[in-house]
Amino acid sequence: MTRRARRTRACAALGAALIVGAAALEADAALGERREVPAERVLRSGSRNLLGTGEERSASVRLGDVDGDGDLDAVVANGRHWPAQNLVHLNQGGGRFNVIRPLGVDRATSYATELVDLDGDGDLDIAVGNDVAPNLVFLNDGEGRFERAGGFGSPTSLRSVTAADVDGDGDPDLILCVRKRLNEIHLNDGSGGFTEQRTFGRPGDSTIDVAAADLDGDGDLDLVLANRDGQANAVLLGDGKGSFDERLEYGSGSDETRAVAAADLDGDGHVDWVAGNIGQRDVLYFGDGKGGVREAVSFGPEDGRTYALALADLDRDGVLDVVAGRAGQPDAAYLRGAPSEPLRERVFGEPEDVTYGLDVGDVNGDGFPDVAVAVSDGPNRIYLNLPQRPEPRRERRPR
């Protein structure tokens, strides 16, 4: 049986891929209340939930309403080390992406298509980050049509782009993770232009991902770095003006970390973060409010290969859950309850897929976050967060 045939068969059998809730009363640790959790749900994908029919070397996907029609669209970065066409997938309602537009005319080695309003006009623009090729800015006309409008930085071994206001001037700047070189920050002039550049980290760092959040409670953004190649992971504390000089290391000192996501996970007012690792378990780090770690909790497989992370309340119980995209292993959601409860793993997707990137958002408008995955050498797809189908009732035949 061919790989494509196996996929077709697997798509037809994805009805019970992931249970994301239970009809029960659970404790909301953050609010100290008890609330009813919705009935059981699954992450389900089929032939109508594909982002196109091709199999690209996709590296990332971002969800956002690019055409102003009130639903979430998807932008996919294709290529990695091999030039390919980046694509904009327009949601036609209900999570069906039946219109595709190319982003620009050039094929490139893209790792990132970050969706953010760069010029302050109220619609989402796109920052395209490429591996050893020019990085580009595409400005939106408000209807999902993008015009190339300059770029940022010089060609380098870029691995991710994150948008955040690092200098506190009210517009989003661009944070570039660059493998085996100094990482970069490009400051926005307010109109989507990037003429001022700064660096962070150490020369030779193999930073693959970064999360920007206020870890020490001083009102400005700090950075959580995900490093590979046996280098120590680190938190870099910001000064509010775009510099990150104070360094606090976390983890074992030699973790192979590829992804990181940050939020207040336990409701104590301090930012926590999740590290996705290769060849080892993933880790929840609970922050101490000063940029350090109060507690670390490992989860997932011992030989995990996590390439992407996202945080979302999948079951709408008031507690953020973890979604992990993996390479050569099933993707997984980790449902969280009270702090004393273990994480509940629910796998989904196809074990042979290489999920390089993912994003979460409500693409079908039912109030529950869905999952979009970017797969290298496989179909990109949406997993809808849907009610679990009841088992068919078997009628007894009279004897």
Side-chain angles (χ1 to χ4, degrees):
M1 183 181 294
T2 65
R3 188 169 188 260
R4 184 178 296 275
R6 290 197 303 271
R7 291 182 182 281
T8 302
R9 176 175 292 182
C11 287
L14 279 170
L18 167 65
I19 298 175
V20 296
L25 291 175
E26 295 188 356
D28 184 334
L31 300 178
E33 300 174 351
R34 293 174 68 84
R35 62 175 64 184
E36 187 171 352
V37 180
E40 291 182 351
R41 302 179 69 85
V42 300
L43 285 177
R44 184 183 301 128
S45 186
S47 62
R48 297 297 182 93
N49 306 121
L50 296 174
L51 295 175
T53 57
E55 296 189 0
E56 300 282 356
R57 287 177 173 169
S58 300
S60 71
V61 59
R62 288 291 179 265
L63 297 174
D65 183 9
V66 302
D67 55 2
D69 65 353
D71 52 35
L72 296 180
D73 309 298
V75 182
V76 178
N78 290 319
R80 293 172 43 230
H81 307 298
W82 303 269
Q85 179 68 60
N86 296 323
L87 297 172
V88 179
H89 299 261
L90 299 180
N91 190 346
Q92 303 304 296
R96 293 195 175 185
F97 296 80
N98 295 341
V99 176
I100 302 175
R101 294 175 182 168
L103 180 63
V105 296
D106 293 339
R107 293 172 176 262
T109 50
S110 296
Y111 261 90
T113 46
E114 189 73 356
L115 273 175
V116 61
D117 183 7
L118 294 171
D119 56 1
D121 65 352
D123 54 40
L124 292 175
D125 309 303
I126 303 175
V128 177
N130 296 320
D131 177 43
V132 198
N135 303 312
L136 302 176
V137 168
F138 288 88
L139 297 182
N140 193 347
D141 68 357
E143 298 181 353
R145 300 186 185 279
F146 295 88
E147 181 178 355
R148 180 173 168 176
F152 52 95
S154 301
T156 187
S157 54
L158 179 145
R159 291 298 180 268
S160 65
V161 177
T162 301
D165 182 12
V166 299
D167 57 359
D169 64 353
D171 52 43
D173 309 301
L174 298 177
I175 307 170
L176 278 58
C177 292
V178 183
R179 191 170 187 180
K180 295 186 178 180
R181 299 180 187 179
L182 277 172
N183 302 303
E184 301 175 4
I185 295 174
H186 297 271
L187 300 181
N188 192 343
D189 64 8
S191 64
F194 298 89
T195 57
E196 185 177 352
Q197 174 180 325
R198 299 180 184 178
T199 59
F200 67 95
R202 297 174 175 174
D205 274 356
S206 286
T207 306
I208 304 297
D209 196 14
V210 65
D214 183 8
L215 273 70
D216 56 2
D218 64 353
D220 55 47
L221 291 179
D222 311 301
L223 302 180
V224 185
L225 274 58
N227 289 333
R228 287 196 64 183
D229 300 332
Q231 298 173 356
N233 291 320
V235 168
L236 303 183
L237 300 181
D239 64 359
K241 300 177 182 179
S243 294
F244 300 87
D245 296 326
E246 185 175 352
R247 180 184 179 100
L248 303 173
E249 294 186 353
Y250 72 91
S252 70
S254 59
D255 297 320
E256 287 288 329
T257 304
R258 191 182 179 95
V260 65
D264 181 6
L265 296 174
D266 56 2
D268 66 351
H270 304 317
V271 175
D272 315 300
W273 63 96
V274 186
N277 297 319
I278 298 174
Q280 60 192 89
R281 305 185 78 190
D282 300 331
V283 183
L284 282 168
Y285 292 97
F286 293 96
D288 62 4
K290 302 176 183 179
V293 176
R294 172 176 57 83
E295 181 184 5
V297 177
S298 298
F299 66 97
E302 297 285 349
D303 60 346
R305 292 184 58 80
T306 299
Y307 276 35
L309 288 170
L311 301 173
D313 185 4
L314 292 175
D315 49 9
R316 288 178 51 180
D317 66 348
V319 180
L320 288 175
D321 308 304
V322 181
V323 185
R326 295 197 168 118
Q329 298 173 341
D331 300 329
Y334 293 89
L335 306 181
R336 301 177 56 251
S340 59
E341 296 177 357
L343 278 73
R344 293 164 287 156
E345 181 186 67
R346 301 293 186 265
V347 299
F348 66 99
E350 299 187 34
E352 69 268 29
D353 279 349
V354 179
T355 300
Y356 256 80
L358 59 80
D359 202 3
V360 292
D362 180 13
V363 302
N364 62 350
D366 67 351
F368 286 84
D370 310 298
V371 180
V373 296
V375 177
S376 182
D377 294 309
N380 302 316
R381 63 173 65 248
I382 302 291
Y383 288 92
L384 296 178
N385 187 351
L386 299 173
Q388 187 176 23
R389 294 170 180 165
E391 292 292 332
R393 178 179 294 180
R394 295 181 179 179
E395 297 183 1
R396 293 185 178 181
R397 295 183 179 181
R399 294 181 179 178

